[in-house]
Amino acid sequence: QPLPSQPLPSQPLPSQPLPSQPLQLSYSPLLADLNDEQRAAVLCTDAPLLVVAGPGTGKTRTLTVRIAHLIRNLGVAPAHALAITFTNKAAQEMRERLAALLTPEEAAAVTVKTFHAFAAQLLREHGGAIGLEGNFVILDEADRRKLFAQAVPDLDARRLEDALATISLARNALEPLPSSLTHAFEAYQAALRRANAVDFDDLIALAAHLLETAPAVAAAVHARYRWISVDEYQDVNAAQVHLLRLLTAGGANLCAIGDPDQAIYGFRGADRRYFLLFQKEFPGAVVVRLTQNYRSKQGILDAALQVIAHNPDRQALPLLARFAEAVRLDVHAAPTDRAEAETIVHQIEQMVGGTSYFSLDSGRADGQPPASRDFGDFAVLYRLSAQARPLIEAFERSGIPYQVVGQASFWAQEAARQALAFLWLLENPRSAVHLEQMLAAADVATPEALAPRLFELSPDDGGNLSKALTGLTSTLPERQRPRLERLAAFWAELVRRKETTSVGELLGAVCDFLGVEPERRTQIVQRAYSYGMRLREFLEAAALEREADGYDPRADRVALMTLHAAKGLEFPVVFLAGCEENLLPYRREGEAPNVEEERRLFYVGMTRAREKLILTHARRRFLFGRAMENPRSRFVGEIEEALLDLQRREGRAPRKAQAAQLGLFE
């Protein structure tokens, strides 16, 4: 059930005595490099455990060493361990760390998945108990929107988006739907059942329903997963907590780790109260705090703590840098957002010692000797993706290499989505959304009209769909037949090759059929090969890759990304751009800002910096088609001036003079 509305606890979560452990375990090689706080968390195995882990305190390391300790030192069968994360990136990092701590066989036997991937696994294995066929498709956001529009055709685009958002938030919070949306939701669910499809919210809801209504399945799951670990517990929502309750109902030990100061996904339905009330949810729980920071200099931590301390419900958690060093934060004021971008470029050029003869000739590198910084040492963080445009333009002009992180997921891009539609249909020929996508990609006229006619021919499998395509050809006007005939022939070939051809080769064949440009084809095929999975596993992994194309640490490029995308990353030098009211904290038009969550987001951005943190703001900014003038963010004002180095950058006189001189040659 959802938590009732209640005041948040005002006192810190009390720690309890740790269960006793054999003394010799403290000398295990697994534990040798842990600090006392981390070791206490690893050795606590006789009670539910909540680890409060501040930024840079070795959260993932502690969690993976604890799992390895259970297996190596306490004799837990690897198959009994389940680790749940929120992103594919975090799951992959955990798998890699476990592989370094365990044998390959042990590491492979541990289940490490995101919430949605684990729910999908339960439904693939046991969904028949609730009437779900094993070859169900997982709809991405675009497919979900399309199917909902088909099921509820009387909604315009704006009302449709509002309805989907309201339904999703209600389901994640386990709250009843508004009565005005009940009919629409039922129609949409019926369309999902006809297509043997689920969306992201269904994965969690149906997995919980499975454990609640199928006792034999619940008993099997409880017998298998005896040790459950959850990363980033501050980001759970009511539906996920409900699923965890069901998973641990058989007596499994639960270890949750996270930081309530880094809870930044309230807009998605996450509720940090579940973290703060963990001991109430799981009586007898032990709380361990990790406060030794291995990332940032003490001055950066002090400033971040001064900011987050202004949140009224904040649980006091000190952060101590491993190497205390006095540093101050630079604060740069610029007249415009374009000048702000130029300031950032100028600062980076100074710190790398200049990137070109132009940098030295113009004085932008101030004649400084080359520094030891690489471009990959820098990140520029901002609240909104819309802030990236002047930054990208400035980096393009400077010639500094950069990468933009946080764009659409690779598989959400049009060519990739079209290619995936063919493969989804290989798995489930009843998926109406993917059938329409395939017809549209093949440039067959009126796919929304042809798809129902194809289903009337009862394509129970891929072969029958090929026959249906061929049979439908004779009913079409002469000018429409060649494209459908070509598609029918290709589909028959694809079905024939399904069992003997790799996923990468299947996608390559689809790309060739669709005429995808060579560079994009190569990207799609290479991406598929990198998964190294069978068809169904690959499709599921691609569908669950919700996070945007990630940061590539191997590239020697400045990283440009939103604050949300920066979660879990760290850089030697961080620029936090747009430190202005109405941006940080962000205020949507007609709404009051969620200042506490926005302050946590600012805190997350600050604690990405290892050595240097630079805060920038502009007096005038052009955003969303209009000019705005906002004062400096209140969050900057919450930092003691002793920790700040205030600087001001005025207009670009050198650039104007340079433009005037160039005009003489026109």
Side-chain angles (χ1 to χ4, degrees):
Q1 298 299 318
L3 286 174
S5 178
Q6 56 185 292
L8 291 167
S10 58
Q11 298 298 320
L13 295 166
S15 297
Q16 298 183 6
L18 296 177
S20 59
Q21 293 283 344
L23 182 62
Q24 64 270 23
L25 287 181
S26 63
Y27 299 102
S28 163
L30 280 172
L31 311 180
D33 294 330
L34 301 179
N35 64 38
D36 291 343
E37 297 167 335
Q38 294 168 335
R39 190 175 293 110
V42 168
L43 293 177
C44 178
T45 58
D46 294 346
L49 174 64
L50 180 70
V51 182
V52 187
T57 56
K59 173 174 60 69
T60 305
R61 182 186 184 196
T62 301
L63 198 59
T64 50
V65 170
R66 185 177 185 273
I67 295 171
H69 165 67
L70 291 170
I71 295 168
R72 282 298 180 88
N73 295 337
L74 301 188
V76 170
H80 289 332
L82 165 64
I84 299 178
T85 72
F86 274 84
T87 67
N88 294 297
K89 175 180 174 293
Q92 183 59 31
E93 180 183 356
M94 194 172 292
R95 292 188 198 101
E96 292 171 355
R97 288 179 180 251
L98 286 172
L101 297 170
L102 302 170
T103 67
E105 295 76 19
E106 290 170 334
V110 178
T111 301
V112 183
K113 290 184 177 292
T114 65
F115 264 105
H116 291 93
F118 177 68
Q121 175 185 303
L122 288 183
L123 295 173
R124 295 280 186 208
E125 294 175 352
H126 306 289
I130 56 173
L132 187 65
E133 297 177 32
N135 68 337
F136 63 83
V137 301
I138 302 174
L139 302 185
D140 62 18
E141 285 302 307
D143 294 335
R144 173 176 175 251
R145 193 179 301 111
K146 185 175 183 63
L147 189 63
F148 193 90
Q150 292 174 344
V152 193
D154 57 332
L155 293 180
D156 59 32
R158 176 68 181 271
R159 291 167 59 207
L160 184 145
E161 292 295 335
D162 289 345
L164 283 172
T166 300
I167 288 171
S168 185
L169 285 173
R171 298 188 77 190
N172 286 328
L174 297 183
E175 295 175 347
L177 287 174
S179 58
S180 60
L181 290 177
T182 301
H183 174 71
F185 178 68
E186 291 174 349
Y188 171 60
Q189 286 292 304
L192 286 170
R193 288 192 293 272
R194 287 193 299 271
N196 192 32
V198 300
D199 63 19
F200 274 76
D201 297 333
D202 282 325
L203 288 171
I204 303 298
L206 291 175
H209 179 63
L210 173 66
L211 295 177
E212 287 177 309
T213 60
V217 173
V221 172
H222 292 156
R224 177 175 180 182
Y225 297 114
R226 306 300 303 158
W227 302 87
I228 300 176
S229 305
V230 183
D231 193 15
E232 304 287 7
Y233 193 76
Q234 77 279 351
D235 293 329
V236 295
N237 59 39
Q240 291 161 342
V241 171
H242 181 53
L243 179 59
L244 284 174
R245 289 195 195 110
L246 294 169
L247 288 171
T248 57
N253 177 272
L254 176 64
C255 169
I257 192 167
D259 180 8
D261 286 339
Q262 297 186 70
I264 58 175
Y265 293 108
F267 65 95
R268 292 183 184 171
D271 192 337
R272 64 193 288 271
R273 289 185 300 166
Y274 290 110
F275 191 103
L276 300 175
L277 298 175
F278 185 87
Q279 289 169 292
K280 182 178 179 180
E281 287 281 318
F282 302 96
V286 171
V287 178
V288 176
R289 291 174 175 78
L290 306 185
T291 61
Q292 179 68 67
N293 180 283
Y294 294 91
R295 176 187 299 160
S296 305
K297 293 183 178 180
Q298 192 65 52
I300 295 171
L301 297 179
D302 289 343
L305 289 171
Q306 288 173 9
V307 172
I308 200 64
H310 284 75
N311 270 0
D313 63 339
R314 196 240 172 188
Q315 306 288 331
L317 182 70
L319 289 175
L320 303 174
R322 188 176 184 185
F323 301 107
E325 186 173 344
V327 295
R328 296 205 295 177
L329 282 59
D330 288 353
V331 180
H332 286 267
T336 67
D337 52 352
R338 293 183 178 276
E340 177 191 47
E342 290 289 344
T343 295
I344 291 170
V345 167
H346 177 73
Q347 290 289 309
I348 292 174
E349 287 185 330
Q350 282 187 319
M351 283 184 266
V352 298
T355 62
S356 66
Y357 287 116
F358 171 72
S359 299
L360 295 174
D361 291 344
S362 66
R364 290 178 67 169
D366 294 339
Q368 293 185 357
S372 58
R373 298 281 185 207
D374 297 320
F375 293 119
D377 292 339
F378 299 91
V380 184
L381 312 182
Y382 36 82
R383 178 63 179 85
L384 304 175
S385 295
Q387 293 173 247
R389 184 169 183 175
L391 290 164
I392 291 171
E393 291 173 353
F395 277 96
E396 287 286 347
R397 286 193 297 270
S398 72
I400 291 177
Y402 66 94
Q403 55 178 317
V404 181
V405 182
Q407 303 302 302
S409 169
F410 179 85
W411 297 111
Q413 298 171 25
E414 186 63 22
R417 289 187 72 247
Q418 289 179 345
L420 284 181
F422 283 74
L423 270 57
W424 273 119
L425 277 170
L426 283 178
E427 275 296 296
N428 177 10
R430 296 296 300 176
S431 178
V433 169
H434 294 113
L435 179 58
E436 285 190 22
Q437 278 187 42
M438 183 179 78
L439 293 171
D443 202 19
V444 175
T446 60
E448 64 282 352
L450 293 182
R453 294 173 62 186
L454 285 168
F455 282 135
E456 289 174 4
L457 300 176
S458 301
D460 297 323
D461 55 43
N464 282 342
L465 178 57
S466 180
K467 295 174 185 176
L469 287 166
T470 302
L472 187 62
T473 302
S474 61
T475 69
L476 297 179
E478 186 71 31
R479 58 187 175 80
Q480 293 185 14
R481 292 179 185 178
R483 290 172 182 169
L484 196 60
E485 290 172 347
R486 179 170 173 265
L487 176 60
F490 175 71
W491 182 256
E493 176 67 12
L494 207 60
V495 171
R496 185 185 66 79
R497 296 175 58 183
K498 175 185 174 183
E499 301 300 331
T500 59
T501 306
S502 69
V503 173
E505 291 174 314
L506 289 174
L507 277 174
V510 173
C511 288
D512 292 340
F513 173 77
L514 296 177
V516 175
E517 62 174 351
E519 183 178 354
R520 177 61 68 182
R521 179 195 187 278
T522 299
Q523 291 174 343
I524 291 172
V525 172
Q526 288 181 344
R527 190 70 164 249
Y529 276 121
S530 71
Y531 282 77
M533 299 174 176
R534 291 174 297 182
L535 179 58
R536 180 177 295 180
E537 294 170 336
F538 162 76
L539 288 169
E540 188 167 294
L544 295 174
E545 192 178 282
R546 295 189 75 182
E547 58 259 41
D549 276 356
Y551 160 69
D552 183 359
R554 300 164 300 177
D556 187 21
R557 297 172 178 271
V558 177
L560 311 182
M561 68 183 79
T562 65
L563 285 162
H564 284 98
K567 180 80 175 294
L569 301 176
E570 60 182 73
F571 302 88
V573 181
V574 169
F575 291 84
L576 217 169
C579 297
E580 302 145 28
E581 289 294 305
N582 298 320
L583 271 182
L584 275 170
Y586 179 52
R587 180 180 181 274
R588 291 178 176 83
E589 191 169 350
E591 299 179 15
N594 184 339
V595 175
E596 292 180 21
E597 179 156 317
E598 292 290 311
R599 185 178 279 112
R600 292 194 292 268
L601 186 58
F602 190 76
Y603 174 80
V604 165
M606 295 178 74
T607 54
R608 300 311 93 196
R610 296 207 299 258
E611 300 170 21
K612 191 172 184 62
L613 177 61
I614 302 154
L615 311 177
T616 67
H617 60 98
R619 292 194 295 275
R620 185 176 177 83
R621 184 176 298 277
F622 192 79
L623 202 62
F624 302 127
R626 62 187 180 90
M628 57 180 67
E629 295 185 7
N630 299 316
R632 191 179 71 177
S633 170
R634 70 188 76 178
F635 301 151
V636 180
E638 292 169 354
I639 304 170
E640 294 178 0
E641 286 195 13
L643 291 175
L644 300 177
D645 186 2
L646 301 174
Q647 303 182 31
R648 184 175 299 276
R649 182 170 176 79
E650 297 297 345
R652 298 289 301 166
R655 278 290 177 93
K656 292 178 181 178
Q658 192 176 56
Q661 291 172 14
L662 289 173
L664 296 175
F665 295 93
E666 294 179 354

